[in-house]
Amino acid sequence: MNFAPLPSVDVAAVPSDGFVLDVREDNEWAAGHVEGALHIPMSDFVARFGELTEAADDGRRVHVMCRVGGRSAQVTQYLVQQGIDAVNIDGGMLAWDGAGRPMVADDGNPAFVL
């Protein structure tokens, strides 16, 4: 079988108003995340898939994020198979933070990557 390479982008290529889907767990999200991102933990993803399709029904590209890129790669592959324009964010939140892109935390404290 011939598999197409997984579509992925560098953190710098994610538009500031881009649609980000964060698939990390609740404690990781609370510590620091992209403001305005949709949070659906990978462990809940199939059950909550409708939340994503509703949010992305305007055909926007979905930028999938996790800590380093492993979980988001699996979710991106699933989304692409469902016909959704999805890309994996290379390096995940660690790369996002390393590039100085803005993050927020749930408790108002300085955001960090857990």
Side-chain angles (χ1 to χ4, degrees), residues 28-52:
E28 294 174 284
W29 166 267
H33 57 267
V34 178
E35 191 167 10
L38 176 64
H39 178 227
I40 303 177
M42 186 173 165
S43 55
D44 297 342
F45 193 76
V46 174
R48 293 176 58 190
F49 182 64
E51 291 176 44
L52 172 70

Side-chain angles (χ1 to χ4, degrees), residues 1 4 10 13-15 18 20-21 26 31 38 41 51 57 66 78 87 95 103 107 109:
M1 278 194 150
D10 186 81
V14 179
V20 175
L21 169 67
D26 291 337
L38 176 64
E51 291 176 44
D57 70 353
C66 68
Y78 175 78
V87 293
M103 300 188 308
D107 59 11
N109 285 325

Side-chain angles (χ1 to χ4, degrees), residues 6 23 42 66-76 88-89 91-92:
L6 185 71
V23 298
M42 186 173 165
C66 68
R67 185 170 185 269
V68 292
R71 288 170 286 180
S72 54
Q74 293 176 53
V75 172
T76 300
N88 187 36
I89 299 176

Side-chain angles (χ1 to χ4, degrees), residues 81-94:
Q81 289 168 347
Q82 308 305 312
I84 293 172
D85 179 13
V87 293
N88 187 36
I89 299 176
D90 277 338
M93 283 300 294
L94 288 176

